[in-house]
Amino acid sequence: NELIGWVAGLPFVNPKTGAELAWNIFRRDQVTDQMSFYSTFMLYNKDGRKKGDMEREFSMHLYNRYYVGRHTVPPIPEIPNKEKIRLKESIVITKPFDIKGFAMVRICYDPIDKPDNVYSYIPAIRRLRRLTGKDVTDPLLGCDACYDDFEVTRQKITSKMTFKIFGPKNFLVIKKYTSPPSPNLGYMKDNNWQVEWEVRPLLLSEWNINDPGGYAYKKRVIYVEKELPTADLYGGDCYDLKGRLWKTSSMIIHAKNKETFDADCWYGCQWLDYLSGHQTWHPMKPIFADPKATDKVFSIQTLI
């Protein structure tokens, strides 16, 4: 239930078991050691998808900072702390007016059976709320993603879980970019991605959660990069407690420039709820190695 001797990067460059691949996903770099991004959630119902009309839109600013496994931004390889913190992350809603100021802070601990601490501030009632493990699978402000679905999965590995590995299998996926695919259009035009496609071999990671009373999903199936030692995620399927396919997420990955960590890129997620036909589209604009991602921004008081 722990990694012995791990410092940074992927623990298993060539994963042979389901557990090894799951640990790669859990220890992968989201972007870099500390970063932030601006993003928009665009919500569509069944009719909206046909007509191209959004049901609702809200904007968010996210910060995160890794305390272990650091390899780019000093201090390397870790920020020493007695609490054994793995990651701190915070979000604040910037618009529209009716939910502006909603904020959330999550503190993720390195020991897998130590529960994360999650707090939210609800401006409508001016109250701070401490969330439980069940709350991180509640939909975020009416969209189709919960906190644990960010960037395909933010779910923490626990000792209850079991894992399987499948593949590699070939999938048609969106090509990675370190610069805009079209010099004239950039990354997007009228909320449409300007992309090329390619066939890539992916590994499939099945997570059986084995927590019927405490977690919303029975299992996840996650699509993972095979050829590059990055464990990038291309998407995932979530199954409800009866074993039915409930949600699918897809990830559009634009790789960072390895030399400069250039932030001139976009990436995004899309979530589809099969039961309701509702979907959420979530483009993001990152700021790599953001110097503002310090301990201050992981405080509700600062976010307010």
Side-chain angles (χ1 to χ4, degrees), residues 72 178 256-264 288-289:
T72 305
T178 54
K256 57 184 175 289
N257 185 300
K258 293 181 180 179
E259 287 74 32
T260 64
F261 290 91
D262 185 9
D264 184 22
F288 299 132

Side-chain angles (χ1 to χ4, degrees), residues 27-251:
R27 294 300 196 193
R28 78 192 189 279
D29 290 331
Q30 302 288 0
V31 178
T32 186
D33 298 334
Q34 61 188 56
M35 52 83 70
S36 70
F37 63 70
Y38 296 93
S39 61
T40 302
F41 289 80
M42 296 181 283
L43 282 59
Y44 295 87
N45 58 29
K46 286 182 179 180
D47 293 334
R49 292 208 316 276
K50 294 175 183 177
K51 298 177 182 178
D53 297 330
M54 276 189 295
E55 178 184 76
R56 183 170 173 79
E57 179 179 6
F58 61 91
S59 298
M60 177 185 83
H61 194 181
L62 178 146
Y63 295 92
N64 74 8
R65 187 185 200 201
Y66 286 90
Y67 286 71
V68 295
R70 297 172 66 89
H71 56 79
T72 305
V73 182
I76 297 171
E78 66 178 57
I79 300 172
N81 65 93
K82 295 180 181 179
E83 295 85 2
K84 295 185 177 180
I85 294 170
R86 156 75 172 153
L87 166 71
K88 287 186 179 181
E89 189 165 69
S90 64
I91 63 174
V92 61
I93 303 301
T94 57
K95 64 179 181 180
F97 180 78
D98 61 329
I99 56 173
K100 180 180 179 180
F102 175 88
M104 189 178 291
V105 172
R106 185 171 189 171
I107 303 171
C108 304
Y109 296 97
D110 206 40
I112 63 173
D113 281 328
K114 184 175 181 179
D116 296 343
N117 282 329
V118 187
Y119 304 90
S120 69
Y121 174 72
I122 305 171
I125 59 176
R126 297 185 180 180
R127 290 292 183 272
L128 183 68
R129 180 184 175 203
R130 183 172 183 174
L131 307 183
T132 67
K134 293 182 181 180
D135 293 318
V136 294
T137 54
D138 287 341
L140 181 65
L141 299 174
C143 76
D144 299 286
C146 64
Y147 201 124
D148 268 8
D149 292 337
F150 279 16
E151 292 187 292
V152 180
T153 179
R154 279 283 199 279
Q155 186 176 357
K156 186 172 185 175
I157 286 179
T158 71
S159 59
K160 294 180 180 180
M161 294 181 179
T162 56
F163 309 99
K164 295 180 182 178
I165 185 172
F166 301 97
K169 296 182 179 182
N170 287 334
F171 288 88
L172 185 65
V173 296
I174 291 171
K175 187 177 179 180
K176 294 186 180 185
Y177 298 101
T178 54
S179 59
S182 170
N184 297 325
L185 298 176
Y187 289 106
M188 297 185 72
K189 180 184 179 183
D190 300 328
N191 287 332
N192 293 309
W193 290 98
Q194 308 302 309
V195 298
E196 298 174 279
W197 296 79
E198 62 180 350
V199 175
R200 294 190 68 82
L202 306 183
L203 294 173
L204 278 69
S205 178
E206 181 181 299
W207 295 16
N208 292 285
I209 297 164
N210 302 320
D211 189 10
Y215 202 77
Y217 303 141
K218 183 175 183 178
K219 73 174 182 180
R220 294 179 183 266
V221 177
I222 303 167
Y223 301 83
V224 192
E225 170 66 40
K226 166 67 170 62
E227 292 185 334
L228 300 175
T230 57
D232 285 332
L233 308 184
Y234 285 87
D237 303 322
C238 299
Y239 293 78
D240 68 12
L241 295 180
K242 294 185 177 181
R244 301 172 298 184
L245 180 60
W246 181 6
K247 298 178 185 176
T248 285
S249 64
S250 57
M251 184 80 181

